[in-house]
Structures are given as structure tokens and as C-alpha cells.
């Protein structure tokens, strides 16, 4: 078997665990948000695993991601999470993808395209995100415009939360506003909407901390991957990805010697291990000199000096049994990305999506029926 230096182990049983937590906690159907290469977990493999869970939707950012899913033969309904460019719309109308309508221009254009083939879209309303959708005072006009297009039907109504993990006061108000707007919309005479429309607002933080009375669908991303944007809920989740590398070299350096670029000077004689991972793999350079650690043989080993492109150096003075070839964990269940993100002054979403293609993705614990080798 070919050996790899650095790999991301992706535990699909953790995905199933997180998914059922999202569903049970909210009591709502789940749109699996798999944009940005499924948050670095690998779009197609991840979507195949998720397809077994019979979700009503996969959420992606735009047509390029939708196209990859459709070309790979995935059948779950694809929802496009952002506004569309004019030159993307013909492809959207020709495919079984669901766009959200953010502007009168989109309504008019999709309305024209729907003359060839009926089209279902969701209405995006802006309840505070400021990233697209009709403002409350623009909704009536949007609904009026829809009436001109007999083949363009609303399949749902959605909005998005800008601060569900930061600002509970605002977010509570936003949920109330959303529910009120949805009730008003649904009460509009002659509304062109399906019988049981999808009503959705909540991302991961929104579904954990809040509840909308009108909504029947949630849109978790981060939570599916086992990380909670609200720390108190982390205990219910299992991180899907564990980032691993191996010890490539061990050495003992004297006090006063420097380590890595810029020469961080050692205060005492130090036994060091070199690990085959760096910012070229997506391990954040901003973790340099933040007091972070990695795990070797379940033991925290402090990061020494700056993160380089392909290698990092850790202190193993307290771990005499450490050997070349030992596995090291950069993040996972016992070393949460959310904690690393705080140290690196970023967010878990960014660390996940910045993992580079050099990191091989290894999938484990697929449902037995999916992996013939287990039979
Ligand atoms: C990315 C995204 C989500 C998922 O957000 P998480 O915080 O990762 O759960 C949900 N809805 C929309 C519109 C998004 O863009």
C-alpha cells in the first residue's frame, strides 16, 4: 500500500450521528449544505454518503458545484444558496436545480425561461443578512411580478441569519420577523406557491439556539461536519474530520538554538519531532507562536516556532517513547478546530475550506451496504 504523509480521515458514521442530532433537535427536515467541496470533506464522496440519508435538498453555492453533483449522478434535489448571474440562468432552468429568487430581474428572467419548461424556485427574503433577497417592503412587488409567469412557481421561502452565534437579541427578533413575513406571504390571495412549501431560515447556530414556528427545513453546514458554532452544543456532536500526519524526523536541540523561520530561540535543551504538514496543506500559519499543540500518542505536544509550507516542529521532550513514523493529530475529536480557529484568529469554516488538495481524504465507516469490501 502506498503511504501518505498527511491525510484527513473522514468518519461517515460521525456524519450520520450529527445529521440525526440536527434532525432530532429541530424536528425539521434537513438541507445538507455541501458547498465549498463539502467544507473540505470532498464534494462527491460526501454527497454520495449523504444521498443514502434521503434528504430533501443539498445546498451548494453556485452552478459549478451543482454541475459537478449532477454530472456525478447524484439525485438529491440541489438548492442554489446565492443569487444567480444572468448567464447562469439558462443552465439552471434546464437542470433539476432550485434557485432562490433575490431580485425582480431574476423573476422576469426565470419567468421567461420557464415558458420552455416549468420551474420551481424559492423566494429569498432579506431579514437582516444584507446579502441578497427581497427586503420586507419589496416582497409585495415580488409576489406581484411572479403572477405574470404561469410556469414559474414558488416552492418555498428562505432567509439567512447573520449573527445567530453572536447576537441572540437580534437573532430572536429576526426569527419573529421571519415568521411574521412568512405568514403574511402565505396569506396573500392568488399566491403562486406549492401546497406544502419549504420554509427555511436556520443555519447551524440558528437551529441549535432558536426555533422558527413557520419553518419546516433547516440548512446546517458546520454542524453536519461535527463542529458547533455555539460551544455549549459541542458535546452532542462528533467531528467528522481528523487531520493526521506522521513524524518524519526526531532530534535533540541545545538551549539557545533556533527553530524554524525567524528563529524562535529554545530556552532549554529540547527533543523535537518534525511533522510532514504545513500551511501548504492548509494547516494555518497563523497558529505559529499561539501556544497550540498537536497530539502524538494521545499526548499534547506544543508547536515550536513558525509553521512552514511543508513541515512543522513540535516539542516531544516529555514523550520519550515517540518514534519516527508515529501518527500525529492536528485536529479532530480531542483537539477541536473551533479552538484552533480562536487561536489563529479565524473561524472553523475557514480552516476546513482551506485544506488543500495535497491532503488525501480517507473515508471510513461508510454504511455497510455501500462498501462491497465489507460484505
Ligand atoms: C453556508 C450557508 C449555510 C450553512 O451555514 P453553517 O453556519 O455552516 O451551518 C446555510 N445557509 C446559507 C444561505 C449559507 O450560505
Amino acid at each position: 500500500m502506498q503511504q501518505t504523509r498527511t491525510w484527513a480521515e473522514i468518519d461517515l458514521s460521525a456524519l450520520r450521528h450529527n445529521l440525526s442530532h440536527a434532525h432530532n433537535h429541530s424536528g425539521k427536515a434537513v438541507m445538507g449544505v455541501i458547498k465549498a467541496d463539502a467544507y473540505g470533506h470532498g464534494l462527491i464522496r460526501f454527497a454520495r454518503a449523504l444521498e443514502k440519508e434521503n434528504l430533501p435538498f443539498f445546498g451548494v453555492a453556485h452552478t459549478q458545484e451543482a454541475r459537478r453533483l449532477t454530472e456525478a449522478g447524484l439525485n438529491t434535489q440541489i438548492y442554489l444558496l446565492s443569487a444567480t448571474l444572468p448567464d447562469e440562468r439558462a443552465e439552471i432552468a434546464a437542470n433539476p436545480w432550485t434557485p432562490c429568487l433575490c431580485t425582480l430581474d431574476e423573476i422576469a428572467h426565470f419567468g421567461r425561461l420557464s415558458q420552455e419548461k416549468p420551474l420551481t424556485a424559492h423566494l429569498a427574503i432579506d431579514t437582516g443578512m444584507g446579502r441578497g433577497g427581497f427586503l420586507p417592503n419589496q416582497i409585495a412587488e415580488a409576489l406581484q411580478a411572479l403572477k405574470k409567469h404561469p410556469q414559474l412557481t414558488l416552492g418555498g421561502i428562505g432567509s439567512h441569519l447573520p449573527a445567530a452565534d453572536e447576537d441572540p437579541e437580534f437573532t430572536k427578533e429576526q426569527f419573529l420577523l421571519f415568521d411574521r413575513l412568512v405568514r403574511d406571504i402565505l396569506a396573500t390571495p392568488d399566491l403562486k406557491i406549492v401546497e406544502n412549501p419549504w420554509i427555511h431560515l436556520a443555519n447551524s447556530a440558528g437551529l441549535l439556539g432558536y426555533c422558527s414556528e413557520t419553518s419546516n427545513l433547516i440548512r446546517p453546514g458546520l454542524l453536519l461536519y461535527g463542529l458547533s458554532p455555539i460551544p455549549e452544543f459541542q458535546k452532542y456532536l462528533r467531528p467528522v474530520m481528523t487531520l493526521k500526519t506522521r513524524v518524519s524526523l526526531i532530534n535533540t536541540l541545545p538551549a539557545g538554538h533556533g527553530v524554524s523561520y525567524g528563529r524562535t530561540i529554545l530556552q532549554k535543551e529540547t527533543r523535537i519531532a518534525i511533522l510532514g504538514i504545513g500551511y501548504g496543506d492548509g494547516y494555518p500559519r497563523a497558529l505559529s507562536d499561539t501556544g497550540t499543540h498537536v497530539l502524538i500518542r494521545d499526548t499534547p505536544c506544543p508547536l515550536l516556532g513558525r509553521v512552514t509550507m511543508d513541515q512543522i516542529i513540535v516539542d516531544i521532550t516529555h514523550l520519550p517513547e515517540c518514534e519516527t513514523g508515529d501518527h500525529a493529530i492536528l485536529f479532530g475529536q480531542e483537539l477541536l478546530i473551533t479552538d484552533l480557529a480562536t487561536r489563529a484568529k479565524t473561524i472553523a469554516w475557514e480552516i476546513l475550506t482551506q485544506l488543500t488538495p495535497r491532503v488525501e481524504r480517507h473515508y471510513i465507516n461508510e454504511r455497510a451496504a455501500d462498501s462491497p469490501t465489507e460484505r
Side-chain angles (χ1 to χ4, degrees):
M1 201 183 111
Q2 285 182 338
Q3 287 294 343
T4 47
R5 273 209 169 188
T6 293
W7 66 103
E9 195 172 89
I10 294 171
D11 182 349
L12 297 170
S13 72
L15 165 65
R16 296 191 292 275
H17 169 90
N18 302 328
L19 183 61
S20 42
H21 183 73
H23 178 65
N24 296 339
H25 182 91
S26 66
K28 301 180 197 295
V30 179
M31 174 188 297
V33 176
I34 54 173
K35 60 192 179 184
D37 211 26
Y39 289 43
H41 292 64
L43 181 67
I44 300 303
R45 280 296 298 272
F46 205 81
R48 288 213 174 105
L50 215 45
E51 182 131 297
K52 309 284 190 308
E53 310 304 321
N54 294 314
L55 305 183
F57 291 101
F58 286 160
V60 299
H62 47 56
T63 52
Q64 273 169 276
E65 293 177 334
R67 199 181 303 136
R68 281 181 63 199
L69 288 169
T70 300
E71 283 173 2
L74 276 303
N75 291 315
T76 302
Q77 180 71 42
I78 293 168
Y79 182 82
L80 300 161
L81 290 159
S82 41
T84 57
L85 279 162
D87 61 9
E88 295 170 340
R89 294 181 196 144
E91 184 184 12
I92 295 169
N95 274 286
W97 305 339
T98 304
C100 59
L101 303 170
C102 298
T103 59
L104 293 173
D105 183 48
E106 282 182 302
I107 292 179
H109 196 170
F110 280 122
R112 282 199 304 281
L113 290 164
S114 70
Q115 288 168 1
E116 316 228 326
K117 186 172 147 227
L119 185 65
T120 303
H122 291 198
L123 187 73
I125 57 178
D126 183 352
T127 54
M129 179 72 184
R131 200 182 68 177
F134 294 93
L135 293 166
N137 65 7
Q138 299 170 328
I139 293 173
E141 198 182 353
L143 298 180
Q144 205 55 40
L146 264 175
K147 287 187 187 161
K148 296 193 198 115
H149 307 286
Q151 304 252 73
L152 176 60
T153 309
L154 281 188
I157 304 166
S159 191
H160 194 32
L161 304 166
D165 51 353
E166 293 178 24
D167 189 343
E169 291 315 310
F170 175 81
T171 306
K172 269 180 224 152
E173 287 301 316
Q174 202 190 355
F175 269 75
L176 292 176
L177 172 65
F178 178 77
D179 283 343
R180 185 163 61 71
L181 292 172
V182 167
R183 288 196 179 100
D184 286 353
I185 294 171
L186 295 179
T188 307
D190 309 325
L191 181 67
K192 299 242 326 290
I193 196 159
V194 298
E195 183 113 21
N196 291 304
W198 292 107
I199 309 294
H200 48 100
L201 169 66
N203 53 6
S204 297
L207 81 92
L208 287 168
Y210 309 83
C211 191
S212 147
E213 287 175 9
T214 60
S215 128
N216 52 13
L217 179 70
I218 52 175
R219 301 190 312 260
L222 194 68
L223 181 153
L224 289 184
Y225 307 97
L227 294 165
S228 176
I230 306 178
E232 64 185 283
F233 294 104
Q234 183 60 46
K235 57 177 177 286
Y236 303 113
L237 304 176
R238 283 173 50 200
V240 173
M241 185 189 290
T242 305
L243 182 62
K244 294 186 177 178
T245 187
R246 296 192 297 157
V247 173
S248 52
L249 186 78
I250 291 176
N251 208 353
T252 299
L253 299 176
H257 202 284
V259 271
S260 192
Y261 292 117
R263 302 185 61 238
T264 300
I265 303 298
L266 295 172
Q267 300 303 313
K268 56 179 174 52
E269 183 181 89
T270 307
R271 189 161 177 259
I272 59 158
I274 315 293
L275 305 180
I277 190 169
Y279 62 78
D281 302 286
Y283 187 73
R285 183 172 179 277
L287 283 171
S288 308
D289 300 314
T290 59
T292 193
H293 62 264
V294 308
L295 295 172
I296 301 175
R297 300 182 183 234
D298 301 324
T299 307
C301 299
L303 178 68
L304 294 173
R306 292 186 195 160
V307 173
T308 75
M309 192 187 290
D310 314 311
Q311 302 178 76
I312 60 174
I313 302 149
V314 299
D315 186 345
I316 53 160
T317 310
H318 57 304
L319 192 63
E321 63 271 38
C322 180
E323 291 171 4
T324 305
D326 272 4
H327 291 186
I329 292 178
L330 288 307
F331 57 68
Q333 175 89 39
E334 307 304 327
L335 185 51
L336 292 171
I337 298 184
T338 29
D339 294 337
L340 296 187
T342 307
R343 286 183 190 276
K345 297 197 169 56
T346 179
I347 52 175
W349 294 262
E350 191 181 44
I351 293 185
L352 279 173
T353 54
Q354 289 192 348
L355 220 63
T356 67
R358 187 163 77 178
V359 179
E360 283 187 18
R361 273 67 165 174
H362 294 178
Y363 299 85
I364 62 167
N365 295 327
E366 272 180 275
R367 272 191 192 286
D370 310 340
S371 57
T373 48
E374 277 181 25
R375 301 231 123 178

